[in-house]
Amino acid sequence: MDIQLLLEIAGLFLTLVVLLYLIFGDNALFRLVTYSFIGVAAGYVAILVIFQVLLPRLSILLVSQEPVLVLIGVVEIVLGLMLFLKLWQHTSFLGALPMAILVGVGAAVTIGGSVFGTLFGQINGTIGLFDLQKGGNPLLRLLEGIFVLVGTVSTLAYFQFTMRSKAALPEQDGNARRSPVIKVLAVIGQGFIGITLGAMFAGIYAAAITALVERIGFIFDFVSRFVQ
Amino acid sequence: MRLVPGDAQGEPEQPGGSSGEDWLSSLRQEPDADVSPGQEDALGQAGSEEFSESETPDWLSRIRERARMETGAQAGESGAEDETPDWMSGLDSEPETGGADEGAASSSWLVEMEAAGGQADEPGTAPQGAAVAPSDPVGEEWMDELSAWRAGAESEPAEAASPVPGDLPGWLDDGTVLGEDLDGNLQLAQEPPESPAEAGSEDLLAGFAVEGESTVVQQPVEPDLPAPAEETPEWLRDFSSQAPAENSGSVIPLIETAGLEGISDDIETGVGIAAGELPDWLSEEGSPPSSGQEVEAPGEPLSEELARAELPEWVKEMRPIESVLPGEAAAVEPSQQVEQAGPLAGLRGVLPIEDLKTHYRKPPVYSARLRLSEKQHSHASMLESIVAQEAQPLLIPRTRARAPQVFTRVLVTLFIFAVLTVVRIFPLGLVPGALLAPPELDDMFNQIEQVSEQNAPVLLAVDYEPGRFGEMYFASLPVIEHLMAKNVPIVVLSTVPTGPALAQRLLQEAADDLREKTDQTYDPAVQTLNLGYLPGGTISLLEFAQLPSRAAPATLEGNFDIWKQPFLANVKGLDGFSQVIVLTDSAETGRAWIEQVKPLMGTAPLLMVTSAQAAPLLMPYLQSQQVNGMVSGFLGGVTYGQWRHVDTPADPYWESYQVGVLLAVGVILFGGLFSLARVVIRRKDGEGE
């Protein structure tokens, strides 16, 4: 029997079992398929890491004729072993150093990228909207810029929860309130946030319906091929 | 009183003369050879036990002989007959019985005893109540003194074992009258005994008789008393030396009876009834105070022989003030007070009622009402209201039944499934293809269109999960086919473990589809290079952007010489690639590529093929020119294919996709309108009520 056919039969079976979740909810077959996927993925990842990450990288570093590379390789091996010892309680303290390195370097890279990549880039992009000489209808560009600016400021104002001491005095109902300007901007920001969330929901639904359509098409194509 | 051994039936024990008969009976008993001379008995038995055969005085032997005679005579008459001699039977008899005959018999016996008293050895020991009859002149002296003391002694203790008048033998009654006053207390008549010997004997017996009945005096027993043959015992000498004088108050009376009119001063002065029984320390006490007198303070030393304890200073400071105030009459100890009235009149040591009345009074009654401040009262009322709320039954909200929800879910699922299947099976052709293309799609098309095979390779990052394969396949396939149609070499990289496998399948299917549509051959095995999995996430992206050869040294197949191959020979960094196209379904992955890789790309454009769910979050980067082109979702793939005027695998599913989206819009609108209508109806119902 053709392997491709077997794979398609297996795919059909798994697809139908997963679709049963829509009717019967959580059931044993659905959990079986889920566990199988997790197991296969974990096994594949393990093989991939061993044969494509550890062995190639370590071999390159250790057999290199450059002492620096050899030293780097040795350090990498030692740190990896120390991190591996974190599995046992008595030796877990040895894994603190490589964990600290990972966390510290990761945080630095992430923060640096967020600041220079996202924050500065978005600020620059918002400012650039008001460049009326860049191209297009200047009025439309200006309106677009104003719209984007108002949306950005109002969304940020919505998340503003600090107040001055005078404004923090409780009113008659005992609740502290923000300044009126912030209140107005927060209301506008709520609208922009709602629109964004709606767009995100629409994208998620579109992705889901696409997956469903693709699976229905797969079933239809297999059945039609099988019938023919 | 114990019976003489041999009295078979035995008289009931008389409380009045039990102790006297005990010692007397013990005297009559033959000494036990195993008994050591030093042994003594407490009351009256010491005489018979302490004398060995050789030491038995004549008077004692005569007593025993007489006892034997009496016992033998009585045993022949009747076994049940009481063998007690007359004088003893007088003791056993009822109080009403007269004691005259017994008194006569006992008198004769006593006379004999006294006559032989001078020949007997002085036992020397004088335990309390011991039947020691001195047989020498010295002994007679002490007996005389004893009798004299007794004549002036006070009455017997009137406690439970008080001797009943009449229970004592007649000889004991001679000269002394034990009467009772109205209170039942014993009284001793003031009449002195007729003869010294008789008086002494009577005193001796009376002392023994009384002692057995009295429970007031508890005298220590001295096992070994000095036995000066010719000297008065020391203890008795003390008695004699301290002959009670009138109102001397040297000895504390054992009993003070109230209402006794005939009590002589001698009684009050308090020579003890059995002077021999009192220890030295008691005998040396001053005369007890009369009813009007007061006893010494408790802190005063009782005897010269007793060493006064040296109290530490801090203990002295704790002493009650009343005990140290000079000149202040010490309170009469309760133990020294004589009860004046009531059933306990005449007794000593009774707790004074008057003192109790003054000392103990009714405890004060405190009000049970709490004093609360206003703040406390408010807090209490608040707490009470909170607790009262807990007791109130909560309204259980109606829970919707689960069955309708399951039915609705199943119904909607089947409906949607059916619609999509029907539309897929029977395309209606009612929905036209995409007519409008977003600007970002146009930019992407233009960017790829500018790439040629002579340019540097294109880096294709496959970073999406297998679950999004369907959508990403429809969105990315047209783009890859466009690249393959350009014969552009493609270098594949992935930061997702499953990415290399997905990339392999995507490249193969794109090549196959391109071959089917345009007959153009593109060999992925030759014209593509899969660098495999890039571990480390964001950190590895930065490393790859700085030095790709170090971050990805080998291919997925394990080829370490890829960076020496022709189309990668000029690639030293990311700027060595003509374009970077990122296929991702996650906004975070796209942001990581934008933040870490884009700054080091130079002039090379960054293009993205994203899922429909990540597109809204990555759109700002598109507008900020950090992303140069974007194709998002199923719609973007179909549209890109229309722009290229080629058919895509997504075309058959376009109508189903559109129907599915329209169906979702309809369901959402219908559900919103239904909810709004229900709210309006409920409000109207509420206003109507």
Side-chain angles (χ1 to χ4, degrees), chain A residues 22 44 48 52 56-57 60 109 117-118 205 207 210 217 220-221, chain B residues 413 424 471 497 532 551 560 595-596 621 626 653 657 660 664:
Chain A
L22 297 173
Y44 173 77
L48 188 70
Q52 198 186 10
R57 295 172 183 270
I60 289 175
V109 170
T118 300
Y205 179 80
T210 303
F220 173 76
D221 292 339
Chain B
T413 300
R424 176 65 180 87
E471 183 186 11
F560 288 88
E595 294 175 352
Q596 305 299 331
Y621 297 99
Q626 291 174 289
Y653 305 97
Y657 173 82

PDB file of all heavy atoms in Angstrom, chain A residues 22 44 48 52 56-57 60 109 117-118 205 207 210 217 220-221, chain B residues 413 424 471 497 532 551 560 595-596 621 626 653 657 660 664:
ATOM      1  N   LEU A  22     -16.339  19.195  18.457  1.00  0.00           N
ATOM      2  CA  LEU A  22     -17.391  20.198  18.299  1.00  0.00           C
ATOM      3  C   LEU A  22     -18.747  19.680  18.738  1.00  0.00           C
ATOM      4  O   LEU A  22     -19.612  20.452  19.167  1.00  0.00           O
ATOM      5  CB  LEU A  22     -17.455  20.638  16.827  1.00  0.00           C
ATOM      6  CG  LEU A  22     -16.202  21.337  16.285  1.00  0.00           C
ATOM      7  CD1 LEU A  22     -16.327  21.563  14.786  1.00  0.00           C
ATOM      8  CD2 LEU A  22     -15.964  22.644  17.011  1.00  0.00           C
ATOM      9  N   TYR A  44      10.259  14.398  17.969  1.00  0.00           N
ATOM     10  CA  TYR A  44      10.901  15.039  16.811  1.00  0.00           C
ATOM     11  C   TYR A  44      11.834  16.159  17.272  1.00  0.00           C
ATOM     12  O   TYR A  44      12.943  16.297  16.756  1.00  0.00           O
ATOM     13  CB  TYR A  44       9.826  15.586  15.875  1.00  0.00           C
ATOM     14  CG  TYR A  44      10.396  16.413  14.750  1.00  0.00           C
ATOM     15  CD1 TYR A  44      11.006  15.825  13.650  1.00  0.00           C
ATOM     16  CD2 TYR A  44      10.311  17.804  14.797  1.00  0.00           C
ATOM     17  CE1 TYR A  44      11.515  16.583  12.628  1.00  0.00           C
ATOM     18  CE2 TYR A  44      10.826  18.576  13.769  1.00  0.00           C
ATOM     19  CZ  TYR A  44      11.428  17.964  12.685  1.00  0.00           C
ATOM     20  OH  TYR A  44      11.940  18.724  11.664  1.00  0.00           O
ATOM     21  N   LEU A  48      15.868  16.420  16.744  1.00  0.00           N
ATOM     22  CA  LEU A  48      16.362  17.600  16.037  1.00  0.00           C
ATOM     23  C   LEU A  48      17.418  18.332  16.855  1.00  0.00           C
ATOM     24  O   LEU A  48      18.446  18.761  16.322  1.00  0.00           O
ATOM     25  CB  LEU A  48      15.187  18.520  15.729  1.00  0.00           C
ATOM     26  CG  LEU A  48      15.488  19.708  14.827  1.00  0.00           C
ATOM     27  CD1 LEU A  48      15.749  19.241  13.407  1.00  0.00           C
ATOM     28  CD2 LEU A  48      14.327  20.700  14.850  1.00  0.00           C
ATOM     29  N   GLN A  52      21.077  18.198  15.291  1.00  0.00           N
ATOM     30  CA  GLN A  52      21.287  19.424  14.535  1.00  0.00           C
ATOM     31  C   GLN A  52      21.805  20.582  15.364  1.00  0.00           C
ATOM     32  O   GLN A  52      22.308  21.564  14.815  1.00  0.00           O
ATOM     33  CB  GLN A  52      19.996  19.863  13.850  1.00  0.00           C
ATOM     34  CG  GLN A  52      20.270  20.839  12.736  1.00  0.00           C
ATOM     35  CD  GLN A  52      19.022  21.391  12.131  1.00  0.00           C
ATOM     36  OE1 GLN A  52      17.935  21.198  12.637  1.00  0.00           O
ATOM     37  NE2 GLN A  52      19.181  22.106  11.026  1.00  0.00           N
ATOM     38  N   PRO A  56      26.495  19.128  16.014  1.00  0.00           N
ATOM     39  CA  PRO A  56      27.236  19.945  15.047  1.00  0.00           C
ATOM     40  C   PRO A  56      27.973  21.100  15.705  1.00  0.00           C
ATOM     41  O   PRO A  56      29.143  21.350  15.409  1.00  0.00           O
ATOM     42  CB  PRO A  56      26.143  20.441  14.103  1.00  0.00           C
ATOM     43  CG  PRO A  56      25.020  19.490  14.261  1.00  0.00           C
ATOM     44  CD  PRO A  56      25.080  19.051  15.677  1.00  0.00           C
ATOM     45  N   ARG A  57      27.330  21.772  16.594  1.00  0.00           N
ATOM     46  CA  ARG A  57      27.947  22.951  17.181  1.00  0.00           C
ATOM     47  C   ARG A  57      29.126  22.578  18.071  1.00  0.00           C
ATOM     48  O   ARG A  57      30.182  23.223  18.031  1.00  0.00           O
ATOM     49  CB  ARG A  57      26.906  23.752  17.964  1.00  0.00           C
ATOM     50  CG  ARG A  57      25.822  24.334  17.075  1.00  0.00           C
ATOM     51  CD  ARG A  57      24.700  24.944  17.906  1.00  0.00           C
ATOM     52  NE  ARG A  57      23.637  25.421  17.025  1.00  0.00           N
ATOM     53  CZ  ARG A  57      23.578  26.640  16.515  1.00  0.00           C
ATOM     54  NH1 ARG A  57      24.537  27.508  16.795  1.00  0.00           N
ATOM     55  NH2 ARG A  57      22.583  26.981  15.737  1.00  0.00           N
ATOM     56  N   ILE A  60      32.125  21.299  16.004  1.00  0.00           N
ATOM     57  CA  ILE A  60      32.834  22.385  15.320  1.00  0.00           C
ATOM     58  C   ILE A  60      33.736  23.123  16.295  1.00  0.00           C
ATOM     59  O   ILE A  60      34.882  23.474  15.982  1.00  0.00           O
ATOM     60  CB  ILE A  60      31.831  23.337  14.666  1.00  0.00           C
ATOM     61  CG1 ILE A  60      31.182  22.671  13.461  1.00  0.00           C
ATOM     62  CG2 ILE A  60      32.498  24.647  14.275  1.00  0.00           C
ATOM     63  CD1 ILE A  60      30.106  23.485  12.825  1.00  0.00           C
ATOM     64  N   VAL A 109      18.625  41.630  25.591  1.00  0.00           N
ATOM     65  CA  VAL A 109      18.312  41.629  24.155  1.00  0.00           C
ATOM     66  C   VAL A 109      16.872  42.059  23.919  1.00  0.00           C
ATOM     67  O   VAL A 109      16.581  42.862  23.015  1.00  0.00           O
ATOM     68  CB  VAL A 109      18.582  40.234  23.565  1.00  0.00           C
ATOM     69  CG1 VAL A 109      18.044  40.133  22.166  1.00  0.00           C
ATOM     70  CG2 VAL A 109      20.074  39.934  23.594  1.00  0.00           C
ATOM     71  N   GLY A 117      13.767  48.969  18.578  1.00  0.00           N
ATOM     72  CA  GLY A 117      13.018  48.437  17.453  1.00  0.00           C
ATOM     73  C   GLY A 117      11.569  48.862  17.439  1.00  0.00           C
ATOM     74  O   GLY A 117      11.033  49.280  16.413  1.00  0.00           O
ATOM     75  N   THR A 118      10.913  48.808  18.556  1.00  0.00           N
ATOM     76  CA  THR A 118       9.487  49.103  18.598  1.00  0.00           C
ATOM     77  C   THR A 118       9.207  50.539  18.993  1.00  0.00           C
ATOM     78  O   THR A 118       8.497  51.258  18.273  1.00  0.00           O
ATOM     79  CB  THR A 118       8.787  48.144  19.568  1.00  0.00           C
ATOM     80  OG1 THR A 118       8.980  46.802  19.111  1.00  0.00           O
ATOM     81  CG2 THR A 118       7.306  48.439  19.665  1.00  0.00           C
ATOM     82  N   TYR A 205     -10.854  34.517  14.001  1.00  0.00           N
ATOM     83  CA  TYR A 205     -11.933  33.737  13.398  1.00  0.00           C
ATOM     84  C   TYR A 205     -11.609  33.391  11.957  1.00  0.00           C
ATOM     85  O   TYR A 205     -11.898  32.276  11.500  1.00  0.00           O
ATOM     86  CB  TYR A 205     -13.252  34.505  13.483  1.00  0.00           C
ATOM     87  CG  TYR A 205     -14.397  33.765  12.855  1.00  0.00           C
ATOM     88  CD1 TYR A 205     -15.033  32.750  13.533  1.00  0.00           C
ATOM     89  CD2 TYR A 205     -14.820  34.084  11.553  1.00  0.00           C
ATOM     90  CE1 TYR A 205     -16.072  32.055  12.953  1.00  0.00           C
ATOM     91  CE2 TYR A 205     -15.863  33.398  10.974  1.00  0.00           C
ATOM     92  CZ  TYR A 205     -16.491  32.380  11.674  1.00  0.00           C
ATOM     93  OH  TYR A 205     -17.524  31.684  11.081  1.00  0.00           O
ATOM     94  N   ALA A 207      -8.695  32.931  10.655  1.00  0.00           N
ATOM     95  CA  ALA A 207      -7.713  31.846  10.656  1.00  0.00           C
ATOM     96  C   ALA A 207      -8.381  30.522  10.984  1.00  0.00           C
ATOM     97  O   ALA A 207      -8.061  29.488  10.374  1.00  0.00           O
ATOM     98  CB  ALA A 207      -6.616  32.157  11.667  1.00  0.00           C
ATOM     99  N   THR A 210     -10.497  29.368   8.093  1.00  0.00           N
ATOM    100  CA  THR A 210      -9.611  28.891   7.032  1.00  0.00           C
ATOM    101  C   THR A 210      -9.153  27.466   7.312  1.00  0.00           C
ATOM    102  O   THR A 210      -9.126  26.625   6.394  1.00  0.00           O
ATOM    103  CB  THR A 210      -8.399  29.815   6.908  1.00  0.00           C
ATOM    104  OG1 THR A 210      -8.844  31.142   6.663  1.00  0.00           O
ATOM    105  CG2 THR A 210      -7.483  29.349   5.801  1.00  0.00           C
ATOM    106  N   GLY A 217     -12.035  20.540   2.902  1.00  0.00           N
ATOM    107  CA  GLY A 217     -11.575  20.270   1.544  1.00  0.00           C
ATOM    108  C   GLY A 217     -10.716  19.024   1.469  1.00  0.00           C
ATOM    109  O   GLY A 217     -10.800  18.244   0.503  1.00  0.00           O
ATOM    110  N   PHE A 220     -13.045  16.124   1.651  1.00  0.00           N
ATOM    111  CA  PHE A 220     -13.763  15.999   0.381  1.00  0.00           C
ATOM    112  C   PHE A 220     -12.858  15.448  -0.721  1.00  0.00           C
ATOM    113  O   PHE A 220     -13.277  14.563  -1.488  1.00  0.00           O
ATOM    114  CB  PHE A 220     -14.325  17.358  -0.002  1.00  0.00           C
ATOM    115  CG  PHE A 220     -14.935  17.381  -1.360  1.00  0.00           C
ATOM    116  CD1 PHE A 220     -16.180  16.817  -1.587  1.00  0.00           C
ATOM    117  CD2 PHE A 220     -14.254  17.957  -2.435  1.00  0.00           C
ATOM    118  CE1 PHE A 220     -16.743  16.837  -2.850  1.00  0.00           C
ATOM    119  CE2 PHE A 220     -14.819  17.983  -3.689  1.00  0.00           C
ATOM    120  CZ  PHE A 220     -16.060  17.419  -3.898  1.00  0.00           C
ATOM    121  N   ASP A 221     -11.657  15.946  -0.793  1.00  0.00           N
ATOM    122  CA  ASP A 221     -10.739  15.475  -1.832  1.00  0.00           C
ATOM    123  C   ASP A 221     -10.387  14.007  -1.631  1.00  0.00           C
ATOM    124  O   ASP A 221     -10.323  13.231  -2.600  1.00  0.00           O
ATOM    125  CB  ASP A 221      -9.478  16.319  -1.815  1.00  0.00           C
ATOM    126  CG  ASP A 221      -9.734  17.749  -2.249  1.00  0.00           C
ATOM    127  OD1 ASP A 221     -10.760  17.992  -2.940  1.00  0.00           O
ATOM    128  OD2 ASP A 221      -8.934  18.641  -1.880  1.00  0.00           O
TER     129      ASP A 221
ATOM    130  N   THR B 413     -22.699  24.014  15.012  1.00  0.00           N
ATOM    131  CA  THR B 413     -21.563  23.322  14.384  1.00  0.00           C
ATOM    132  C   THR B 413     -22.000  22.554  13.146  1.00  0.00           C
ATOM    133  O   THR B 413     -21.369  22.642  12.078  1.00  0.00           O
ATOM    134  CB  THR B 413     -20.929  22.366  15.417  1.00  0.00           C
ATOM    135  OG1 THR B 413     -20.487  23.121  16.541  1.00  0.00           O
ATOM    136  CG2 THR B 413     -19.764  21.617  14.799  1.00  0.00           C
ATOM    137  N   ARG B 424     -18.488  23.664  -0.839  1.00  0.00           N
ATOM    138  CA  ARG B 424     -17.268  23.082  -1.394  1.00  0.00           C
ATOM    139  C   ARG B 424     -17.582  22.053  -2.455  1.00  0.00           C
ATOM    140  O   ARG B 424     -16.911  21.983  -3.503  1.00  0.00           O
ATOM    141  CB  ARG B 424     -16.462  22.441  -0.283  1.00  0.00           C
ATOM    142  CG  ARG B 424     -15.197  21.712  -0.745  1.00  0.00           C
ATOM    143  CD  ARG B 424     -14.209  22.690  -1.321  1.00  0.00           C
ATOM    144  NE  ARG B 424     -12.995  22.004  -1.769  1.00  0.00           N
ATOM    145  CZ  ARG B 424     -12.818  21.461  -2.973  1.00  0.00           C
ATOM    146  NH1 ARG B 424     -13.785  21.528  -3.875  1.00  0.00           N
ATOM    147  NH2 ARG B 424     -11.702  20.850  -3.292  1.00  0.00           N
ATOM    148  N   GLU B 471      -3.685  27.539   6.671  1.00  0.00           N
ATOM    149  CA  GLU B 471      -3.792  28.946   6.311  1.00  0.00           C
ATOM    150  C   GLU B 471      -2.486  29.467   5.734  1.00  0.00           C
ATOM    151  O   GLU B 471      -2.479  30.190   4.725  1.00  0.00           O
ATOM    152  CB  GLU B 471      -4.195  29.753   7.538  1.00  0.00           C
ATOM    153  CG  GLU B 471      -4.401  31.222   7.281  1.00  0.00           C
ATOM    154  CD  GLU B 471      -4.660  31.990   8.550  1.00  0.00           C
ATOM    155  OE1 GLU B 471      -4.476  31.428   9.654  1.00  0.00           O
ATOM    156  OE2 GLU B 471      -5.048  33.171   8.465  1.00  0.00           O
ATOM    157  N   PRO B 497      11.085  24.526  16.196  1.00  0.00           N
ATOM    158  CA  PRO B 497      11.630  23.182  15.954  1.00  0.00           C
ATOM    159  C   PRO B 497      10.972  22.459  14.784  1.00  0.00           C
ATOM    160  O   PRO B 497      11.638  21.707  14.060  1.00  0.00           O
ATOM    161  CB  PRO B 497      11.365  22.453  17.278  1.00  0.00           C
ATOM    162  CG  PRO B 497      11.320  23.530  18.303  1.00  0.00           C
ATOM    163  CD  PRO B 497      10.739  24.707  17.617  1.00  0.00           C
ATOM    164  N   GLY B 532      18.098  24.675   8.825  1.00  0.00           N
ATOM    165  CA  GLY B 532      17.591  23.936   9.969  1.00  0.00           C
ATOM    166  C   GLY B 532      17.043  24.831  11.071  1.00  0.00           C
ATOM    167  O   GLY B 532      16.564  25.938  10.856  1.00  0.00           O
ATOM    168  N   ALA B 551      25.999  31.345  13.713  1.00  0.00           N
ATOM    169  CA  ALA B 551      24.717  30.956  14.299  1.00  0.00           C
ATOM    170  C   ALA B 551      24.172  29.692  13.661  1.00  0.00           C
ATOM    171  O   ALA B 551      23.573  28.855  14.324  1.00  0.00           O
ATOM    172  CB  ALA B 551      23.716  32.102  14.161  1.00  0.00           C
ATOM    173  N   PHE B 560      28.467  21.004   6.601  1.00  0.00           N
ATOM    174  CA  PHE B 560      29.127  22.120   7.248  1.00  0.00           C
ATOM    175  C   PHE B 560      29.827  23.043   6.259  1.00  0.00           C
ATOM    176  O   PHE B 560      30.418  24.038   6.658  1.00  0.00           O
ATOM    177  CB  PHE B 560      30.156  21.591   8.261  1.00  0.00           C
ATOM    178  CG  PHE B 560      29.520  20.984   9.468  1.00  0.00           C
ATOM    179  CD1 PHE B 560      29.156  19.640   9.488  1.00  0.00           C
ATOM    180  CD2 PHE B 560      29.270  21.751  10.581  1.00  0.00           C
ATOM    181  CE1 PHE B 560      28.562  19.076  10.611  1.00  0.00           C
ATOM    182  CE2 PHE B 560      28.678  21.185  11.712  1.00  0.00           C
ATOM    183  CZ  PHE B 560      28.318  19.853  11.727  1.00  0.00           C
ATOM    184  N   GLU B 595      12.624  43.601  15.449  1.00  0.00           N
ATOM    185  CA  GLU B 595      13.457  44.314  16.417  1.00  0.00           C
ATOM    186  C   GLU B 595      14.922  43.895  16.348  1.00  0.00           C
ATOM    187  O   GLU B 595      15.821  44.736  16.520  1.00  0.00           O
ATOM    188  CB  GLU B 595      12.907  44.053  17.824  1.00  0.00           C
ATOM    189  CG  GLU B 595      11.537  44.651  18.069  1.00  0.00           C
ATOM    190  CD  GLU B 595      10.981  44.262  19.433  1.00  0.00           C
ATOM    191  OE1 GLU B 595      11.593  43.410  20.110  1.00  0.00           O
ATOM    192  OE2 GLU B 595       9.936  44.799  19.836  1.00  0.00           O
ATOM    193  N   GLN B 596      15.204  42.639  16.088  1.00  0.00           N
ATOM    194  CA  GLN B 596      16.572  42.157  16.168  1.00  0.00           C
ATOM    195  C   GLN B 596      17.280  42.129  14.811  1.00  0.00           C
ATOM    196  O   GLN B 596      18.490  42.370  14.728  1.00  0.00           O
ATOM    197  CB  GLN B 596      16.591  40.736  16.763  1.00  0.00           C
ATOM    198  CG  GLN B 596      15.899  40.606  18.102  1.00  0.00           C
ATOM    199  CD  GLN B 596      16.533  41.460  19.187  1.00  0.00           C
ATOM    200  OE1 GLN B 596      17.734  41.744  19.150  1.00  0.00           O
ATOM    201  NE2 GLN B 596      15.739  41.888  20.147  1.00  0.00           N
ATOM    202  N   TYR B 621       3.974  48.168  12.252  1.00  0.00           N
ATOM    203  CA  TYR B 621       5.339  48.107  11.737  1.00  0.00           C
ATOM    204  C   TYR B 621       5.362  48.316  10.223  1.00  0.00           C
ATOM    205  O   TYR B 621       6.338  48.809   9.657  1.00  0.00           O
ATOM    206  CB  TYR B 621       5.975  46.766  12.093  1.00  0.00           C
ATOM    207  CG  TYR B 621       6.116  46.546  13.574  1.00  0.00           C
ATOM    208  CD1 TYR B 621       5.191  45.781  14.276  1.00  0.00           C
ATOM    209  CD2 TYR B 621       7.163  47.113  14.279  1.00  0.00           C
ATOM    210  CE1 TYR B 621       5.322  45.593  15.645  1.00  0.00           C
ATOM    211  CE2 TYR B 621       7.295  46.926  15.653  1.00  0.00           C
ATOM    212  CZ  TYR B 621       6.374  46.162  16.317  1.00  0.00           C
ATOM    213  OH  TYR B 621       6.497  45.980  17.678  1.00  0.00           O
ATOM    214  N   GLN B 626       9.039  49.691   8.842  1.00  0.00           N
ATOM    215  CA  GLN B 626       9.957  48.675   9.336  1.00  0.00           C
ATOM    216  C   GLN B 626       9.727  47.344   8.631  1.00  0.00           C
ATOM    217  O   GLN B 626      10.640  46.513   8.551  1.00  0.00           O
ATOM    218  CB  GLN B 626       9.769  48.487  10.849  1.00  0.00           C
ATOM    219  CG  GLN B 626      10.245  49.687  11.665  1.00  0.00           C
ATOM    220  CD  GLN B 626       9.924  49.538  13.136  1.00  0.00           C
ATOM    221  OE1 GLN B 626       8.763  49.624  13.515  1.00  0.00           O
ATOM    222  NE2 GLN B 626      10.940  49.342  13.944  1.00  0.00           N
ATOM    223  N   TYR B 653     -11.282  26.884  -2.410  1.00  0.00           N
ATOM    224  CA  TYR B 653     -11.802  27.106  -1.061  1.00  0.00           C
ATOM    225  C   TYR B 653     -12.252  28.539  -0.832  1.00  0.00           C
ATOM    226  O   TYR B 653     -12.742  28.886   0.235  1.00  0.00           O
ATOM    227  CB  TYR B 653     -10.724  26.759  -0.018  1.00  0.00           C
ATOM    228  CG  TYR B 653     -10.169  25.357  -0.148  1.00  0.00           C
ATOM    229  CD1 TYR B 653      -8.984  25.120  -0.840  1.00  0.00           C
ATOM    230  CD2 TYR B 653     -10.832  24.288   0.436  1.00  0.00           C
ATOM    231  CE1 TYR B 653      -8.482  23.831  -0.945  1.00  0.00           C
ATOM    232  CE2 TYR B 653     -10.320  23.002   0.323  1.00  0.00           C
ATOM    233  CZ  TYR B 653      -9.141  22.777  -0.364  1.00  0.00           C
ATOM    234  OH  TYR B 653      -8.646  21.499  -0.483  1.00  0.00           O
ATOM    235  N   TYR B 657     -14.706  29.817   2.039  1.00  0.00           N
ATOM    236  CA  TYR B 657     -14.179  30.781   3.005  1.00  0.00           C
ATOM    237  C   TYR B 657     -15.088  31.993   3.114  1.00  0.00           C
ATOM    238  O   TYR B 657     -15.414  32.444   4.204  1.00  0.00           O
ATOM    239  CB  TYR B 657     -12.772  31.189   2.585  1.00  0.00           C
ATOM    240  CG  TYR B 657     -12.170  32.297   3.407  1.00  0.00           C
ATOM    241  CD1 TYR B 657     -11.580  32.022   4.632  1.00  0.00           C
ATOM    242  CD2 TYR B 657     -12.188  33.609   2.944  1.00  0.00           C
ATOM    243  CE1 TYR B 657     -11.025  33.036   5.395  1.00  0.00           C
ATOM    244  CE2 TYR B 657     -11.628  34.624   3.724  1.00  0.00           C
ATOM    245  CZ  TYR B 657     -11.045  34.337   4.931  1.00  0.00           C
ATOM    246  OH  TYR B 657     -10.500  35.339   5.698  1.00  0.00           O
ATOM    247  N   GLY B 660     -18.263  31.037   4.906  1.00  0.00           N
ATOM    248  CA  GLY B 660     -18.002  30.865   6.328  1.00  0.00           C
ATOM    249  C   GLY B 660     -17.881  32.183   7.055  1.00  0.00           C
ATOM    250  O   GLY B 660     -18.406  32.362   8.165  1.00  0.00           O
ATOM    251  N   ALA B 664     -20.525  33.657   9.800  1.00  0.00           N
ATOM    252  CA  ALA B 664     -20.143  34.134  11.124  1.00  0.00           C
ATOM    253  C   ALA B 664     -20.672  35.526  11.371  1.00  0.00           C
ATOM    254  O   ALA B 664     -21.168  35.832  12.465  1.00  0.00           O
ATOM    255  CB  ALA B 664     -18.614  34.114  11.261  1.00  0.00           C
TER     256      ALA B 664
END
